[in-house]
Amino acid sequence: MARLGVNIDHVATVREARKTVEPDPVAAAVLVELAGADGIVCHLREDRRHIKDRDLKLLRQVVKTHLNLEMAATEEMVNIALQVLPDMVTIVPEKRQELTTEGGLDVVTHGDYLQEVISNLRAHNIVVSLFVDPDIHQIKAAAKVGADFIELHTGEYANAEDENKMMEELEKLDTMAVAASKLGLAVSAGHGLNYQNVVPVAQLDKIEELNIGHSIISRAVLVGLDRAVKEMVALIR
Ligand code: PXP
Protein backbone atom coordinates (compact mmCIF):
# COMPACT_ATOMS: atom_id res chain seq x y z
CA MET A 1 0.00 0.00 0.00
CA ALA A 2 1.44 3.35 -1.03
CA ARG A 3 2.05 6.06 1.55
CA LEU A 4 0.61 9.54 0.93
CA GLY A 5 2.72 12.67 1.23
CA VAL A 6 0.62 15.83 0.94
CA ASN A 7 2.25 18.86 -0.63
CA ILE A 8 0.91 21.98 1.11
CA ASP A 9 2.56 24.63 -1.11
CA HIS A 10 -0.72 25.89 -2.49
CA VAL A 11 -2.11 26.69 0.93
CA ALA A 12 0.75 29.18 1.02
CA THR A 13 -0.08 30.26 -2.55
CA VAL A 14 -3.50 31.43 -1.34
CA ARG A 15 -1.88 33.25 1.58
CA GLU A 16 0.60 34.97 -0.74
CA ALA A 17 -2.22 36.13 -3.02
CA ARG A 18 -2.87 38.69 -0.26
CA LYS A 19 0.54 38.66 1.46
CA THR A 20 -1.28 38.04 4.71
CA VAL A 21 -1.07 35.40 7.44
CA GLU A 22 -3.88 33.08 6.35
CA PRO A 23 -4.30 30.33 5.44
CA ASP A 24 -1.24 29.16 7.34
CA PRO A 25 0.44 26.12 5.74
CA VAL A 26 1.65 25.09 9.20
CA ALA A 27 -1.95 24.84 10.46
CA ALA A 28 -2.79 22.94 7.26
CA ALA A 29 0.03 20.48 7.94
CA VAL A 30 -1.43 19.68 11.36
CA LEU A 31 -4.86 18.99 9.84
CA VAL A 32 -3.33 16.93 7.01
CA GLU A 33 -1.59 14.75 9.57
CA LEU A 34 -4.71 14.39 11.70
CA ALA A 35 -6.60 13.28 8.59
CA GLY A 36 -4.19 10.38 8.15
CA ALA A 37 -1.53 11.45 5.65
CA ASP A 38 1.85 9.80 6.04
CA GLY A 39 3.88 12.91 5.49
CA ILE A 40 4.07 16.59 4.59
CA VAL A 41 5.85 17.87 1.50
CA CYS A 42 6.79 21.47 0.78
CA HIS A 43 8.91 23.18 -1.85
CA LEU A 44 11.02 26.11 -0.73
CA ARG A 45 11.61 27.92 -4.01
CA GLU A 46 14.40 30.36 -4.67
CA ASP A 47 11.82 33.11 -5.23
CA ARG A 48 9.80 32.13 -2.10
CA ARG A 49 6.61 32.43 -4.10
CA HIS A 50 4.65 30.27 -1.68
CA ILE A 51 6.47 28.48 1.15
CA LYS A 52 8.72 30.82 3.20
CA ASP A 53 11.71 30.10 5.43
CA ARG A 54 9.48 30.74 8.44
CA ASP A 55 7.04 28.04 7.28
CA LEU A 56 9.78 25.47 6.85
CA LYS A 57 11.25 26.15 10.31
CA LEU A 58 7.83 25.82 11.96
CA LEU A 59 6.96 22.75 9.90
CA ARG A 60 10.09 21.07 11.21
CA GLN A 61 8.88 21.70 14.76
CA VAL A 62 5.25 20.73 14.16
CA VAL A 63 5.29 17.83 11.70
CA LYS A 64 5.23 14.54 13.55
CA THR A 65 5.05 12.13 10.61
CA HIS A 66 7.62 12.81 7.90
CA LEU A 67 8.82 16.08 6.41
CA ASN A 68 9.97 16.02 2.81
CA LEU A 69 11.60 19.24 1.56
CA GLU A 70 11.60 19.73 -2.20
CA MET A 71 14.40 22.02 -3.27
CA ALA A 72 16.83 22.89 -6.02
CA ALA A 73 20.40 21.68 -5.49
CA THR A 74 21.76 25.18 -4.85
CA GLU A 75 24.24 26.13 -2.16
CA GLU A 76 21.61 28.29 -0.43
CA MET A 77 19.08 25.43 -0.27
CA VAL A 78 21.62 22.86 0.87
CA ASN A 79 22.62 25.17 3.74
CA ILE A 80 18.98 25.60 4.73
CA ALA A 81 18.38 21.82 4.61
CA LEU A 82 21.40 21.24 6.83
CA GLN A 83 20.05 23.73 9.37
CA VAL A 84 16.43 22.55 9.32
CA LEU A 85 17.13 18.82 8.93
CA PRO A 86 13.98 17.56 7.19
CA ASP A 87 13.54 13.78 7.15
CA MET A 88 13.92 13.77 3.38
CA VAL A 89 15.12 16.14 0.70
CA THR A 90 13.76 15.74 -2.82
CA ILE A 91 16.02 17.47 -5.30
CA VAL A 92 14.09 19.04 -8.16
CA PRO A 93 15.12 21.23 -11.08
CA GLU A 94 13.83 24.77 -10.76
CA LYS A 95 13.20 27.44 -13.33
CA ARG A 96 12.03 30.84 -12.27
CA GLN A 97 9.39 31.24 -14.96
CA GLU A 98 7.68 27.88 -14.53
CA LEU A 99 4.26 27.53 -12.87
CA THR A 100 5.30 24.23 -11.33
CA THR A 101 8.20 21.79 -11.65
CA GLU A 102 8.09 21.03 -15.36
CA GLY A 103 10.44 18.11 -15.81
CA GLY A 104 12.75 15.73 -14.01
CA LEU A 105 16.35 16.40 -13.04
CA ASP A 106 19.10 15.79 -15.56
CA VAL A 107 21.15 13.49 -13.34
CA VAL A 108 23.20 12.23 -16.29
CA THR A 109 24.61 15.70 -17.02
CA HIS A 110 24.93 16.95 -13.44
CA GLY A 111 25.99 13.67 -11.81
CA ASP A 112 29.24 14.85 -10.20
CA TYR A 113 27.68 17.90 -8.60
CA LEU A 114 24.62 15.97 -7.42
CA GLN A 115 26.82 13.26 -5.92
CA GLU A 116 28.52 15.89 -3.77
CA VAL A 117 25.21 17.39 -2.65
CA ILE A 118 23.73 13.97 -1.89
CA SER A 119 26.66 12.81 0.20
CA ASN A 120 26.59 16.09 2.15
CA LEU A 121 22.88 15.68 2.95
CA ARG A 122 23.16 11.96 3.72
CA ALA A 123 26.03 12.63 6.10
CA HIS A 124 23.45 14.54 8.16
CA ASN A 125 21.01 11.61 8.12
CA ILE A 126 18.74 13.18 5.53
CA VAL A 127 17.23 10.67 3.10
CA VAL A 128 17.72 11.95 -0.45
CA SER A 129 15.35 11.54 -3.35
CA LEU A 130 15.87 12.71 -6.93
CA PHE A 131 12.86 13.77 -9.00
CA VAL A 132 13.38 12.17 -12.40
CA ASP A 133 11.48 11.41 -15.57
CA PRO A 134 10.70 7.71 -16.09
CA ASP A 135 13.88 7.32 -18.16
CA ILE A 136 16.30 4.45 -17.61
CA HIS A 137 19.40 6.62 -18.16
CA GLN A 138 18.34 9.04 -15.44
CA ILE A 139 17.45 6.20 -13.09
CA LYS A 140 20.80 4.46 -13.57
CA ALA A 141 22.53 7.78 -12.98
CA ALA A 142 20.47 8.32 -9.79
CA ALA A 143 21.65 4.97 -8.45
CA LYS A 144 25.23 5.78 -9.39
CA VAL A 145 25.30 9.12 -7.56
CA GLY A 146 24.06 7.51 -4.34
CA ALA A 147 20.43 8.63 -4.04
CA ASP A 148 18.21 6.67 -1.63
CA PHE A 149 15.00 7.29 -3.56
CA ILE A 150 13.84 8.42 -6.93
CA GLU A 151 10.53 10.17 -7.36
CA LEU A 152 9.12 9.34 -10.77
CA HIS A 153 7.62 12.33 -12.57
CA THR A 154 4.03 11.37 -13.39
CA GLY A 155 3.33 14.50 -15.46
CA GLU A 156 3.30 12.73 -18.84
CA TYR A 157 0.88 10.15 -17.44
CA ALA A 158 -1.35 12.81 -15.88
CA ASN A 159 -1.39 14.93 -19.03
CA ALA A 160 -2.00 12.03 -21.44
CA GLU A 161 -4.55 13.06 -24.04
CA ASP A 162 -6.14 9.67 -24.56
CA GLU A 163 -6.47 6.27 -22.95
CA ASN A 164 -3.76 4.63 -25.10
CA LYS A 165 -1.16 7.22 -24.20
CA MET A 166 -2.17 6.96 -20.55
CA MET A 167 -1.72 3.18 -20.56
CA GLU A 168 1.62 3.57 -22.32
CA GLU A 169 2.80 6.05 -19.67
CA LEU A 170 1.50 3.85 -16.86
CA GLU A 171 3.46 0.91 -18.22
CA LYS A 172 6.55 3.08 -18.44
CA LEU A 173 6.13 4.08 -14.78
CA ASP A 174 5.77 0.42 -13.82
CA THR A 175 8.81 -0.73 -15.80
CA MET A 176 10.96 2.12 -14.50
CA ALA A 177 9.86 1.53 -10.89
CA VAL A 178 10.85 -2.13 -11.19
CA ALA A 179 14.20 -1.18 -12.78
CA ALA A 180 14.91 1.37 -10.04
CA SER A 181 14.06 -1.12 -7.36
CA LYS A 182 16.49 -3.65 -8.89
CA LEU A 183 19.17 -0.96 -8.71
CA GLY A 184 18.52 -0.63 -4.97
CA LEU A 185 16.51 2.59 -5.15
CA ALA A 186 13.26 3.12 -3.27
CA VAL A 187 10.58 4.64 -5.49
CA SER A 188 7.94 7.32 -5.05
CA ALA A 189 5.93 9.19 -7.67
CA GLY A 190 4.10 12.43 -8.13
CA HIS A 191 3.02 15.42 -10.14
CA GLY A 192 -0.44 15.96 -11.57
CA LEU A 193 -2.01 13.05 -9.71
CA ASN A 194 -5.67 13.63 -8.89
CA TYR A 195 -8.87 11.89 -7.83
CA GLN A 196 -9.46 10.62 -11.39
CA ASN A 197 -6.03 9.25 -12.28
CA VAL A 198 -4.36 8.17 -9.02
CA VAL A 199 -5.66 4.62 -8.58
CA PRO A 200 -3.68 2.82 -11.34
CA VAL A 201 -0.46 4.48 -10.11
CA ALA A 202 -1.22 3.61 -6.48
CA GLN A 203 -1.55 -0.03 -7.57
CA LEU A 204 1.96 -0.24 -9.04
CA ASP A 205 3.92 -2.69 -6.99
CA LYS A 206 7.22 -0.89 -6.52
CA ILE A 207 5.89 2.60 -5.87
CA GLU A 208 6.02 3.12 -2.12
CA GLU A 209 4.87 6.68 -1.83
CA LEU A 210 2.76 9.20 -3.73
CA ASN A 211 3.27 12.94 -3.34
CA ILE A 212 0.16 14.93 -4.17
CA GLY A 213 -0.54 18.62 -3.78
CA HIS A 214 -2.64 20.66 -6.16
CA SER A 215 -5.59 18.30 -6.51
CA ILE A 216 -5.96 17.83 -2.74
CA ILE A 217 -5.77 21.55 -1.95
CA SER A 218 -8.19 22.27 -4.82
CA ARG A 219 -10.67 19.77 -3.46
CA ALA A 220 -10.28 21.13 0.05
CA VAL A 221 -11.35 24.57 -1.20
CA LEU A 222 -14.51 23.13 -2.73
CA VAL A 223 -15.51 20.68 -0.02
CA GLY A 224 -14.81 23.31 2.64
CA LEU A 225 -16.81 26.09 1.00
CA ASP A 226 -20.21 24.99 2.25
CA ARG A 227 -19.19 25.25 5.90
CA ALA A 228 -17.18 28.43 5.39
CA VAL A 229 -20.14 30.23 3.79
CA LYS A 230 -22.62 28.97 6.38
CA GLU A 231 -20.39 30.26 9.18
CA MET A 232 -20.20 33.71 7.57
CA VAL A 233 -23.94 33.82 6.90
CA ALA A 234 -24.58 32.94 10.55
CA LEU A 235 -22.36 35.82 11.70
CA ILE A 236 -23.95 38.37 9.39
CA ARG A 237 -27.54 37.48 10.21
N1 PXP B 1 6.40 15.90 -6.54
C1 PXP B 1 7.24 16.90 -6.92
C2 PXP B 1 8.70 16.62 -7.01
C3 PXP B 1 6.74 18.18 -7.20
O1 PXP B 1 7.59 19.18 -7.57
C4 PXP B 1 5.36 18.43 -7.05
C5 PXP B 1 4.81 19.80 -7.29
O2 PXP B 1 5.28 20.66 -6.30
C6 PXP B 1 4.54 17.36 -6.66
C7 PXP B 1 5.09 16.11 -6.42
C8 PXP B 1 3.06 17.53 -6.47
O3 PXP B 1 2.47 17.81 -7.69
P1 PXP B 1 0.96 18.25 -7.74
O4 PXP B 1 0.84 19.56 -7.03
O5 PXP B 1 0.68 18.35 -9.20
O6 PXP B 1 0.17 17.16 -7.06
Side-chain angles (χ1 to χ4, degrees):
M1 210 172 43
R3 297 187 295 274
L4 173 64
V6 176
N7 180 313
I8 54 167
D9 292 351
H10 295 309
V11 175
T13 301
V14 176
R15 177 188 63 191
E16 294 311 309
R18 282 291 176 90
K19 304 263 175 242
T20 175
V21 295
E22 66 173 8
D24 192 328
V26 181
V30 173
L31 295 176
V32 164
E33 285 193 324
L34 287 173
D38 300 292
I40 302 295
V41 188
C42 69
H43 185 172
L44 187 67
R45 282 182 167 268
E46 184 197 10
D47 63 9
R48 309 299 199 270
R49 70 172 74 156
H50 38 50
I51 294 293
K52 310 269 185 224
D53 300 66
R54 165 266 184 206
D55 302 328
L56 179 62
K57 279 189 198 131
L58 288 175
L59 285 169
R60 177 62 298 177
Q61 290 173 37
V62 162
V63 168
K64 300 201 171 46
T65 51
H66 182 265
L67 180 63
N68 179 354
L69 169 63
E70 286 179 18
M71 59 175 228
T74 61
E75 204 182 318
E76 182 201 12
M77 288 301 154
V78 171
N79 286 336
I80 290 172
L82 295 182
Q83 277 168 28
V84 173
L85 299 176
D87 300 292
M88 178 185 266
V89 159
T90 300
I91 301 179
V92 299
E94 199 173 293
K95 290 187 226 130
R96 233 172 249 212
Q97 305 307 329
E98 69 189 2
L99 286 177
T100 179
T101 314
E102 283 167 356
L105 272 177
D106 186 351
V107 190
V108 175
T109 307
H110 304 293
D112 290 345
Y113 177 68
L114 286 169
Q115 187 159 20
E116 227 175 89
V117 170
I118 291 167
S119 76
N120 196 358
L121 293 167
R122 290 187 85 235
H124 291 78
N125 293 323
I126 300 172
V127 175
V128 183
S129 180
L130 302 182
F131 185 52
V132 293
D133 292 327
D135 172 318
I136 192 63
H137 304 294
Q138 297 298 340
I139 292 166
K140 282 184 176 164
K144 201 168 145 205
V145 298
D148 301 288
F149 264 79
I150 53 159
E151 178 171 338
L152 289 173
H153 193 315
T154 51
E156 290 284 325
Y157 165 79
N159 294 331
E161 277 164 17
D162 56 52
E163 193 90 354
N164 283 345
K165 171 80 173 153
M166 201 169 180
M167 288 312 295
E168 198 181 295
E169 290 300 328
L170 183 67
E171 227 171 278
K172 203 189 283 174
L173 290 169
D174 189 26
T175 314
M176 291 304 129
V178 171
S181 177
K182 279 191 186 142
L183 289 165
L185 291 159
V187 186
S188 62
H191 212 281
L193 296 176
N194 60 34
Y195 295 82
Q196 287 74 42
N197 65 21
V198 73
V199 171
V201 180
Q203 287 170 338
L204 297 181
D205 214 26
K206 296 295 180 193
I207 296 187
E208 296 182 16
E209 192 173 290
L210 298 176
N211 293 317
I212 307 180
H214 189 263
S215 64
I216 294 178
I217 304 306
S218 303
R219 194 174 188 90
V221 170
L222 294 188
V223 301
L225 209 47
D226 181 70
R227 176 162 163 196
V229 171
K230 281 180 177 146
E231 286 177 5
M232 187 59 80
V233 167
L235 281 174
I236 288 172
R237 295 197 184 142

